[in-house]
C-alpha cells in the first residue's frame, strides 16, 4: 500500500526507462542502431497520469533514437536522456516546474537510481530491480520492468491520491474515447 498523504502530495512522476518501461534488453543491429521493446500498458499510464494533471517525465541513463521516438509519441512533459547522474537533472526539474523533490515519484530499477530515490517523495521499483534498489524503494511493483509496472503504479497512485475507485480514475480517458477525442491519445 502507498501512504495516502505522500500520494496526495505527488505532482510529477519521473521514470527511468531501461528496466522500468522496458525489460532492460537493448537490441543492436549491425549498423549499431538500438531497438527497445515498450509495453503499451505503460504508454496509456502516461496518458492517465496527465489526464489528472500529473506531470510526467523521463530521466534515463541511456540515449537512443528509439527512446527519443517513444518519448515524443507519449508526449512527456520532460525528457532527459543520456544522464548518468540524475540528481542535477532532478534539481533542474524542481526549479523549472516550481515543485519540491518530495512532490515527485521516481520509478527506477538499479543502483544508479538510489541517490534519486533518497531525494524524492516516493521511490518505486519493479519486482526485478536490483536488490539494493528494492531495499531503497518505498513501494515495489508486483510486476517486472517492461511488463506494465508503470501502469500498475499509476493505477495505485491515482486511486490512493484521489480516493476513487479505479473506474472513476479512468473516467477522463473513457470520456475522451466515447467522444472520439483520441487523436492525441497514445499507448
Amino acid at each position: 500500500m502507498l501512504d495516502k498523504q505522500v500520494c496526495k502530495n505527488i505532482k510529477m512522476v519521473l521514470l527511468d526507462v531501461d528496466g522500468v518501461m522496458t525489460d532492460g534488453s537493448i537490441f543492436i543491429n549491425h549498423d549499431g542502431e538500438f531497438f527497445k521493446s515498450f509495453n503499451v500498458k505503460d504508454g496509456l499510464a502516461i496518458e492517465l497520469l496527465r489526464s489528472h494533471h500529473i506531470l510526467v517525465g523521463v530521466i534515463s541513463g541511456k540515449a537512443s533514437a528509439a527512446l527519443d521516438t517513444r518519448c515524443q509519441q507519449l508526449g512527456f512533459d520532460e525528457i532527459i536522456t543520456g544522464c548518468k547522474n540524475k540528481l542535477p537533472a532532478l534539481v533542474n526539474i524542481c526549479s523549472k516546474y516550481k515543485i519540491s523533490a518530495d512532490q515527485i515519484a521516481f520509478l527506477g530499477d538499479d543502483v544508479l537510481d538510489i541517490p534519486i530515490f533518497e531525494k524524492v517523495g516516493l521511490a518505486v521499483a519493479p519486482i526485478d530491480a536490483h536488490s539494493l534498489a528494492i531495499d531503497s524503494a518505498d513501494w515495489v511493483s508486483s510486476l517486472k520492468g517492461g511488463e506494465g509496472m508503470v501502469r500498475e503504479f499509476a493505477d495505485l497512485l491515482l486511486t490512493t491520491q484521489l480516493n476513487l475507485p479505479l473506474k472513476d480514475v479512468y473516467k477522463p480517458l473513457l470520456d475522451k474515447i466515447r467522444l472520439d477525442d483520441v487523436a492525441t491519445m497514445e499507448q
Side-chain angles (χ1 to χ4, degrees), residues 91-110:
V91 170
N92 290 338
I93 288 169
C94 288
S95 176
K96 179 178 179 178
Y97 292 97
K98 297 180 179 25
I99 58 176
S100 62
D102 67 339
Q103 294 176 301
I104 295 175
F106 184 80
L107 285 64
D109 72 307
D110 215 332

Side-chain angles (χ1 to χ4, degrees), residues 165-182:
L166 195 57
K167 67 177 184 154
D168 291 340
V169 167
Y170 275 84
K171 187 177 183 319
L173 290 186
L174 292 170
D175 287 348
K176 283 180 81 171
I177 294 165
R178 289 182 183 115
L179 295 171
D180 196 25
D181 182 21
V182 294

Side-chain angles (χ1 to χ4, degrees), residues 19-74:
V20 173
M21 292 183 70
T22 75
D23 67 5
S25 298
I26 299 172
F27 303 94
I28 303 172
N29 72 9
H30 64 280
D31 294 324
E33 292 187 42
F34 290 102
F35 297 92
K36 297 176 187 248
S37 176
F38 294 90
N39 190 308
V40 296
K41 292 175 188 172
D42 291 341
L44 200 56
I46 305 311
E47 183 75 25
L48 179 65
L49 289 164
R50 294 181 77 216
S51 75
H52 288 284
H53 310 290
I54 304 276
L55 297 164
V56 188
V58 165
I59 304 177
S60 177
K62 291 219 179 291
S64 71
L67 175 55
D68 291 343
T69 298
R70 186 63 175 148
C71 288
Q72 295 301 323
Q73 286 174 339
L74 295 177

